[in-house]
């Protein structure tokens, strides 16, 4: 019996197992190919982060953070059918809270780090729950408006607040050495990999659980879910609270990698990223958000330096990246409303039926 | 689906009057009980109300008819402002043909016409090209208008750069001032207030007294029934959408001489106009008219209030969002709205 379950598990999940092994070994593989050390170059007791392995690790950390953000957005938008335009607020507040606790309280770095993380989780949960409680009884569009208004207010406030350096933000300098991106990036890599994999497994289990069935019922028809006897408000609040906490954690990783926090972390562009990557990857699919996040991050990295010349007009892609993203966004909504994974699943189902 | 264009009973009128009264008292306190400052605050509030109305009118009718909250409406306002600025200041921008008209007033009028036309064309394109294919999927329409608002913002940044412009060509009408209680107020602003009131009257007469107005009002009540009567409801949708976007671009054009062309215009006016239509009650046009007075006066009073050093300017720039959040929390059905 146990043997049977194991083989079934291996047969169903082999692709995820292969990917996990690849991601765990990734720094060493890249290091081996390019002949650079994933630990950086040692100078006395300190390490200097240089070399191809370190560079590619930072791109993957970026992808992990973004994937967690997009997966959390997908839990709300794709599986529960709740649309929020303020997800960037949770992402940015994650970074800001961690930064403020580690930089401004004077606690020892290790303690401050864990207090910061705990605070991010508690505050995101309370804030998500509060916003949801205040507006979710109303029609879906009110929630979208309210989240946009609140996140714009938070952005304006942090852009002017002298304590956090206003428009310029502040640097993260007193981070414990074991997770400092400038000292031991490989540790940060594994921490974000754990968060990423954990989020993926957690969301899959949640959506496939009875609670997940209620989420999907709410997405399809909230009135009907209510008529069956579910307290739909409670389930929507659960979905939003989880998504808010995950977005805050994604913000922590982003801030740890950048080692700097500023109001741009609260910018609506992070909400756009989350929305766009959910739609491009596939709304309401498990792997879609990851494909969307990694595809767009890689495109951004590769195209940042590129320029297009049409006649006398030279367009710098890096500068107008958001404009291009917006255009892609509109095209995908019009042409592939189910995204990469959604379209793939539909095609597969159509062929299987024949 | 029942939406009403008429005020629902005496209760909503009484609430509106009480609300405006409370705002006037707050404005008087914010003005430190000085009649001159109070009058200027009121005029600024009326000016804001008119600009908000120009954005919110389209937003409200589009929402009432098509159930789409057009997040790109603020983008049209911003685009109107930039185009008008650009045509009037040929040396600064990309449309140098503005220099063909020597007289600044004529050039300004021409610039506003161009901005309104471009707004109308882009509104038509958005409705016909992008929204119509998505009629069965409301969530995606909302997401799409949000995407278009980002494109408009980024396109403006791409064409004109991220830094704000302030108006430098002096128009004769801007130079002339009049005084109330020894405090100067620009005649141009008074002119904009008068024009806004006139447009408000025109739209209300259009809705109440003309055939197309009857069709629009019927469409707000029940688009399927209207279409069953043999009227091409889709064409009415397109018309209203185009007019709404043109009005927003026109609003941006008349506002740019005193607000300047900045990237944040779109988001600020979008959120404040959403506050207007939510406060007025989604789908109620009279509600939108009353709502723009309440939000416009409230915004100006809050700005006056935050001019005090102990309050700080953060409150002033947050006030449209703050008003919106308060309205959503306290009166989500709006003054003239019905349970939907």
């Amino acid at each position: 019996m146990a043997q049977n379950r194991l083989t079934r598990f291996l047969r169903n999940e082999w692709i995820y197992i292969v990917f996990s092994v690849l991601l765990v070994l990734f720094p060493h593989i890249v290091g081996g190919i390019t002949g650079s050390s994933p630990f950086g170059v040692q100078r006395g007791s300190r390490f200097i982060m240089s070399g191809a392995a370190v560079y590619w690790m930072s791109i993957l950390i970026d992808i992990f953070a973004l994937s967690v953000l997009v997966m959390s957005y997908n839990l709300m938008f794709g599986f529960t059918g709740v649309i929020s335009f303020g997800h960037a607020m949770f992402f940015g507040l994650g970074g800001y809270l961690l930064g403020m606790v580690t930089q401004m309280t004077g606690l020892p770095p290790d303690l401050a780090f864990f207090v910061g993380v705990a605070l991010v989780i508690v505050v995101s949960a309370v804030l998500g729950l509060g916003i949801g409680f205040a507006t979710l009884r109303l029609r879906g569009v009110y929630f979208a408006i309210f989240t946009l208004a609140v996140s714009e207010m938070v952005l304006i406030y942090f852009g002017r607040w002298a304590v956090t350096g206003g428009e310029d933000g502040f640097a993260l300098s007193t981070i414990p050495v074991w997770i400092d991106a400038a000292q031991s990036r490989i540790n940060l890599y594994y921490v974000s990999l754990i968060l990423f994999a954990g989020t993926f497994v957690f969301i899959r289990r949640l959506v496939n659980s009875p609670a997940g069935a209620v989420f999907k019922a709410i997405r399809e028809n909230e009135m009907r879910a209510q008529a069956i006897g579910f307290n739909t408000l409670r389930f929507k609040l659960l979905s939003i609270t989880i998504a808010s906490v995950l977005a805050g954690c994604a913000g922590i990783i982003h801030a740890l990698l950048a080692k700097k926090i500023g109001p741009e972390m609260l910018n609506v562009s992070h909400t756009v990223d989350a929305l766009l990557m959910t739609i491009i990857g596939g709304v309401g699919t498990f792997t879609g958000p990851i494909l969307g996040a990694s595809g767009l991050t890689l495109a951004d990295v590769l195209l940042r330096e590129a320029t297009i010349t049409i006649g006398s007009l030279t367009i710098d892609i890096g500068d107008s990246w958001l404009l291009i993203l917006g255009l892609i966004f509109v095209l995908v909504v019009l042409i592939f409303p189910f995204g990469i994974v959604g379209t793939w699943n539909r095609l597969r189902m159509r062929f299987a039926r024949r | 689906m029942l939406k009403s264009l008429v005020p629902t009973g005496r209760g909503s009128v009484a609430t509106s009057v009480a609300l405006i009264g409370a705002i006037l008292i707050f404005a008087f306190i914010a003005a430190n009980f000085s009649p001159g400052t109070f009058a200027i605050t009121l005029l600024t509030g009326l000016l804001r109300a008119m600009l908000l109305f120009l954005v919110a009118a389209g937003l409200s009718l589009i929402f009432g008819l098509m159930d789409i909250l057009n997040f790109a409406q603020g983008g049209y306002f911003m685009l109107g402002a930039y185009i008008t600025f650009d045509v009037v200041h040929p040396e600064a921008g990309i449309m140098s043909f503005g220099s063909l008209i020597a007289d600044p007033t004529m050039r300004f009028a021409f610039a506003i016409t161009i901005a309104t036309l471009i707004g109308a064309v882009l509104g038509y394109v958005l409705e016909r090209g992008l929204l119509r294919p998505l009629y069965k999927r409301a969530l995606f329409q909302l997401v799409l208008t949000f995407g278009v608002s980002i494109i408009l913002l980024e396109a403006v940044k791409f064409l004109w750069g991220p830094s704000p412009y302030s108006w430098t060509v002096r128009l004769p009408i801007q130079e002339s001032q009049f005084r109330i209680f020894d405090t100067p107020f620009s005649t141009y602003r008074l002119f904009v207030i008068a024009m806004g009131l006139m447009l408000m009257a025109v739209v209300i007469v259009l809705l109440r007294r003309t055939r197309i107005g009857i069709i629009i009002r019927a469409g707000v009540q029940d688009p399927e029934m209207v279409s069953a009567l043999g009227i091409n409801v889709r064409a009415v949708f397109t018309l209203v959408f185009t007019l709404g976007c043109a009005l927003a671009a026109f609003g941006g054009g008349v506002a740019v001489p005193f607000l300047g062309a900045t990237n944040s215009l779109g988001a600020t006016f979008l959120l404040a106009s959403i506050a207007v239509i939510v406060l007025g009650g989604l789908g109620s046009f009279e509600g939108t008219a009353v709502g723009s007075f309440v939000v416009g006066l409230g915004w100006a009073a809050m700005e006056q209030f935050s001019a005090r050093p102990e309050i700080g300017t953060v409150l002033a720039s947050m006030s449209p969002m703050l008003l919106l959040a308060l309205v959503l929390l306290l009166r989500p059905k709006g003054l003239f709205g019905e349970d939907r």
Side-chain angles (χ1 to χ4, degrees):
Chain A
M1 193 61 188
Q3 191 70 26
N4 211 349
R5 272 170 74 182
L6 185 69
T7 45
R8 204 167 62 218
F9 177 73
L10 285 178
R11 196 169 42 208
N12 288 338
E13 313 282 339
W14 65 271
I15 189 150
Y16 299 117
I17 298 169
V18 170
F19 260 100
S20 322
V21 172
L22 274 180
L23 285 177
V24 168
L25 296 177
F26 177 83
H28 300 283
I29 297 174
V30 177
I33 293 171
T34 59
S36 57
S37 157
F39 299 97
V41 185
Q42 190 163 12
R43 289 268 185 283
S45 66
R46 296 181 67 82
F47 287 89
I48 292 168
M49 290 297 122
S50 67
V54 171
Y55 174 69
W56 279 100
M57 271 196 301
S58 49
I59 291 177
L60 276 200
I61 296 171
D62 223 7
I63 291 179
F64 293 153
L66 210 57
S67 297
V68 172
L69 179 74
V70 181
M71 281 191 278
S72 72
Y73 195 81
N74 188 36
L75 178 68
M76 259 189 330
F77 176 56
F79 289 116
T80 326
V82 172
I83 185 156
S84 152
F85 288 148
H87 217 49
M89 172 176 65
F90 296 103
F91 184 74
L93 280 183
Y96 263 106
L97 282 175
L98 179 81
M100 285 164 71
V101 173
T102 53
Q103 298 303 119
M104 293 163 197
T105 52
L107 293 172
D110 278 308
L111 180 65
F113 177 75
F114 287 111
V115 170
V117 172
L119 197 68
V120 169
I121 292 173
V122 172
V123 171
S124 314
V126 170
L127 205 61
L129 200 66
I131 291 180
F133 204 73
T135 44
L136 262 186
R137 293 158 213 261
L138 308 165
R139 271 166 53 120
V141 66
Y142 285 107
F143 183 72
I145 300 169
F146 191 80
T147 49
L148 184 63
V150 173
S151 75
E152 286 285 310
M153 274 199 279
V154 171
L155 172 66
I156 292 175
Y157 193 76
F158 276 94
R160 304 263 182 99
W161 201 21
V163 174
T164 57
E167 222 26 81
D168 303 323
F170 59 100
L172 276 180
S173 51
T174 52
I175 294 295
V177 175
W178 60 271
I179 198 166
D180 188 347
Q183 280 298 299
S184 38
R185 189 158 303 174
I186 192 157
N187 287 352
L188 180 60
Y189 176 84
Y190 285 120
V191 168
S192 44
L193 177 60
I194 290 168
L195 176 69
F196 165 75
T199 306
F200 180 76
V201 173
F202 173 71
I203 288 186
R204 245 179 73 148
R205 294 206 67 147
L206 179 69
V207 171
N208 287 331
S209 73
V214 182
F215 287 167
K216 285 187 256 181
I218 293 173
R219 176 189 67 189
E220 296 305 328
N221 191 335
E222 190 176 347
M223 296 274 249
R224 200 172 290 170
Q226 224 159 19
I228 300 171
F230 289 112
N231 184 345
T232 55
L233 176 68
R234 196 175 292 169
F235 283 94
K236 285 199 286 186
L237 284 177
L238 181 69
S239 170
I240 284 156
T241 311
I242 293 170
S244 310
V245 171
L246 288 175
C249 294
I252 292 179
I253 299 289
H254 183 91
L256 284 175
L257 179 66
K259 292 204 71 177
K260 182 198 169 299
I261 291 154
E264 66 277 357
M265 267 191 86
L266 290 160
N267 197 297
V268 70
S269 68
H270 291 290
T271 306
V272 179
D273 284 353
L275 191 59
L276 172 68
M277 289 165 187
T278 309
I279 288 176
I280 287 186
V283 179
T285 61
F286 294 112
T287 44
I290 300 170
L291 277 181
S294 38
L296 283 172
T297 309
L298 288 177
D300 187 15
V301 168
L302 297 176
L303 297 177
R304 198 167 281 162
E305 302 297 318
T307 53
I308 304 175
T309 312
I310 308 165
S312 61
L313 186 69
T314 308
I315 298 169
D316 190 339
I317 294 188
D319 283 347
S320 38
W321 179 238
L322 255 175
L323 179 61
I324 294 170
L325 275 192
L327 291 171
I328 297 175
F329 180 81
V330 166
L331 284 179
V332 170
V333 170
L334 279 178
I335 303 166
F336 302 107
F338 307 106
I340 304 171
V341 177
T343 310
W344 168 248
N345 285 346
R346 260 154 210 272
L347 283 176
R348 219 174 44 183
M349 256 151 80
R350 185 174 297 171
F351 281 112
R353 215 177 283 146
R354 283 196 182 152
Chain B
M1 280 302 284
L2 194 76
K3 301 162 213 170
S4 170
L5 276 166
V6 284
T8 46
R10 227 180 266 158
S12 10
V13 177
T15 319
S16 320
V17 171
L19 202 57
I20 290 183
I23 288 174
L24 290 185
I25 294 171
F26 174 61
F28 198 56
I29 297 169
N32 262 334
F33 309 103
S34 126
T37 321
F38 178 62
I40 293 299
T41 311
L42 280 196
L43 282 173
T44 313
L46 280 180
L47 185 68
R48 281 280 151 76
M50 289 308 118
L51 296 178
L52 284 175
F53 175 75
L54 290 176
V55 183
L59 210 57
S60 159
L61 280 179
I62 292 165
F63 190 84
L65 267 181
M66 306 156 77
D67 261 346
I68 300 172
L69 193 65
N70 181 18
F71 272 89
Q73 199 86 4
Y76 286 91
F77 183 84
M78 177 183 61
L79 195 68
Y82 269 89
I83 290 172
T84 307
F85 180 87
D86 192 279
V87 175
V88 176
H89 299 74
E91 66 289 348
I94 47 178
M95 284 184 255
S96 48
F97 57 78
S99 57
L100 294 176
I101 305 167
D103 178 40
T105 311
M106 286 305 291
R107 205 197 294 165
F108 180 52
F110 175 67
I112 289 186
T113 317
I114 296 268
T116 313
L117 283 179
I118 292 181
V121 169
L122 287 180
Y124 180 81
V125 169
L126 173 60
E127 207 278 333
R128 284 304 288 266
L130 304 180
L131 291 179
R132 195 165 275 203
L134 293 175
Y135 266 142
K136 292 285 166 211
R137 294 199 296 269
L139 205 58
F140 281 90
Q141 284 182 327
L142 191 68
V143 165
L144 192 92
T145 61
F146 189 63
V148 171
S149 78
I150 302 294
I151 291 181
L152 285 176
L153 176 64
E154 292 303 318
V156 162
K157 277 188 196 165
F158 178 74
L159 291 172
W160 286 285
S163 34
Y165 292 96
S166 52
W167 191 264
T168 51
V169 171
R170 305 315 299 183
L171 305 171
I173 192 171
Q174 253 185 307
E175 296 294 293
S176 71
Q177 291 179 333
F178 66 98
R179 306 182 81 80
I180 329 162
F181 297 111
D182 282 338
T183 321
F185 195 77
S186 148
T187 316
Y188 176 66
R189 298 184 185 210
L190 199 70
F191 172 71
V192 173
I193 294 176
M195 196 160 54
L197 284 172
M198 213 172 64
L199 268 172
M200 196 183 261
V202 166
V203 176
I204 288 177
V205 168
L206 189 89
L207 282 176
R208 291 239 163 259
R209 293 272 178 265
T210 62
R211 188 177 151 73
I212 185 78
I214 293 171
I215 294 174
I216 293 173
R217 274 158 58 210
V220 170
Q221 294 276 350
D222 189 345
E224 274 160 34
M225 193 63 211
V226 173
S227 141
L229 290 173
I231 290 161
N232 186 353
V233 152
R234 294 267 164 108
V236 177
F237 285 3
T238 311
L239 177 75
V240 167
F241 205 97
T242 309
L243 283 182
C245 292
L247 266 187
F250 174 80
V254 294
V256 68
F258 47 89
L259 289 183
T262 59
N263 285 323
S264 59
L265 275 184
T268 313
F269 273 84
L270 172 75
L271 289 169
S273 333
I274 294 178
V276 165
I277 67 166
V278 172
L279 183 68
L282 290 174
S284 153
F285 195 75
E286 274 75 3
T288 304
V290 175
S292 42
F293 282 110
V294 172
V295 174
L297 290 171
W299 189 358
M302 260 178 146
E303 256 178 3
Q304 184 61 45
F305 186 62
S306 61
R308 299 174 180 205
E310 75 268 20
I311 308 289
T313 52
V314 183
L315 186 68
S317 33
M318 289 203 305
S319 50
M321 295 86 176
L322 204 61
L323 276 171
L324 174 54
L326 284 179
V327 166
L328 278 172
L329 286 178
L330 301 178
R331 185 87 197 212
K333 267 184 238 161
L335 292 172
F336 296 99
E338 286 183 2
D339 217 350
R340 315 180 56 203

